[in-house]
Structures are given as structure tokens and as C-alpha cells.
Amino acid sequence: MTSRPAPGTRLVFRWRKWDGSPHWEQDCVYLGSDSWGDWFGQQIGWRSVRPGREFVCREPNVTLVPACGDWAFTHNAAPHPVAVYIDLARDAGWDDDGNPVGIDMDLDVVRRTDERGTWIDDRDEWDEHRVRYGYPADIQTHLETVAVDLERRVRAAEAPFSDDVTGPWLKRLADLAQAGDDPAPRA
């Protein structure tokens, strides 16, 4: 297992697609870990960028990456309209140099705070990419099952997809911001 950086360490979480092409790079800070996995945070103004697209964080958020590496759960603080965004993944975790990484596997579970509610997103991209990239059948079956289970768990507000779990991590992120602990991200 890769050693973890000290809580408060700025990092860049690097996502790629199945074929190795670059995907999202997200400025983040390592917050620590608990029984659910490793937690990362993004402050207001930090960016997420991929080829052809960029977002600047408008509310703080925290992301959980469990040991299984099958997904990354982001909880956006209110009033962000997307409260929950879960990226289905392959090998989400740490590289040999101690940087957070993952392979984006297209499917996402989303919970909005408006009438749109909760759903599995990007099924069209999943259908296209599993053919284009040749996702192995066992991985397809596994991640489709995981997506349906995550959607059910998010609808039920089961832990860790609840404010009881994410609240303390958002507080830890806010405490870092208040302390002015905002070094440059590690490359």
C-alpha cells in the first residue's frame, strides 16, 4: 500500500480514460481517511480541467475514494444543485508516487436537489465506450451492478452518502481554509 500524504497536503487528482488518454485533473487537498476510505476536498475557486473543458469550484466539496477503487463519491456543499456525484471507476486510489489517480468508467450516479432527483447518468457514453475501448465483459457486469446499488444507496441516504458522514469532512475542509493552510498543489 502506498503511504498517504499528511492531511492538508495539496494534490492533483488525475483521471484518465480506459485507453490511457487524459481525462479530469482536479486540484484537491488530502483530508485524511476513515473506515470508508480516503477523503479529498476542493475549496471555492479551485479548478477541475480536462481537454476542452474547465470548471471552477463554486462551493466546497469533499470526495471519498473507497479501498475497492470502483468509484469516487463527491458531496458538494449547499447550495450547489448537485449534492451527490459518484464517478464509477477502475483502480481509483493511489499511484506508486503517492498521487491520487483513477480510470473514469463513464457511468455516474447523480443526486440533484431539484425535481430531477437521483439517477444513473451517462449510459449513452457507457454504451459507446464499452464498445470503442473493449471493456471486458466481467468489468461491464460488475460496474453496472455497482451503479445500480449506488443509486439505491444514494436514494436511501445510506452512509457514507449522508450528511452525517460528509459533514465532518466538510468541516475539516473549512477549518483548513480558515487556517489559511492553502499551499500550492503538488504536481
Side-chain angles (χ1 to χ4, degrees):
M1 170 158 66
T2 302
S3 65
R4 305 297 191 259
T9 301
R10 285 283 302 270
L11 303 164
V12 176
F13 201 121
R14 288 189 172 86
W15 290 91
R16 65 186 190 285
K17 297 305 276 182
W18 183 263
D19 67 352
S21 60
H23 195 46
W24 288 106
E25 289 191 0
Q26 298 163 313
D27 294 335
C28 63
V29 61
Y30 182 63
L31 298 174
S33 65
D34 62 12
S35 62
W36 297 108
D38 289 305
W39 290 88
F40 303 86
Q42 278 192 310
Q43 302 284 12
I44 293 172
W46 291 8
R47 58 184 202 106
S48 296
V49 62
R50 73 174 192 199
R53 203 151 183 208
E54 181 172 347
F55 288 104
V56 174
C57 192
R58 58 185 196 215
E59 277 87 24
N61 67 64
V62 292
T63 297
L64 165 64
V65 178
C68 69
D70 286 342
W71 45 270
F73 155 52
T74 299
H75 175 103
N76 292 299
H80 198 288
V82 177
V84 171
Y85 197 95
I86 304 174
D87 290 287
L88 274 284
R90 188 82 179 145
D91 299 329
W94 300 92
D95 69 12
D96 292 339
D97 295 323
N99 297 301
V101 296
I103 300 170
D104 178 85
M105 296 300 291
D106 313 314
L107 291 174
D108 305 301
V109 176
V110 179
R111 181 174 64 81
R112 289 186 57 97
T113 57
D114 60 19
E115 66 281 349
R116 291 171 59 186
T118 302
W119 73 95
I120 297 173
D121 198 20
D122 292 336
R123 290 182 187 269
D124 56 341
E125 185 179 348
W126 169 254
D127 288 340
E128 176 189 333
H129 287 176
R130 66 186 177 163
V131 172
R132 179 192 308 167
Y133 297 136
Y135 298 161
D138 62 326
I139 291 174
Q140 291 181 51
T141 301
H142 174 69
L143 290 179
E144 287 169 354
T145 301
V146 169
V148 169
D149 183 56
L150 288 170
E151 180 186 29
R152 179 195 60 76
R153 292 172 63 196
V154 167
R155 286 180 188 277
E158 289 182 13
F161 313 108
S162 65
D163 292 344
D164 290 344
V165 175
T166 59
W169 292 105
L170 283 167
K171 172 134 180 29
R172 184 173 292 185
L173 181 64
D175 290 347
L176 284 172
Q178 187 174 9
D181 200 0
D182 191 19
R186 195 170 77 176

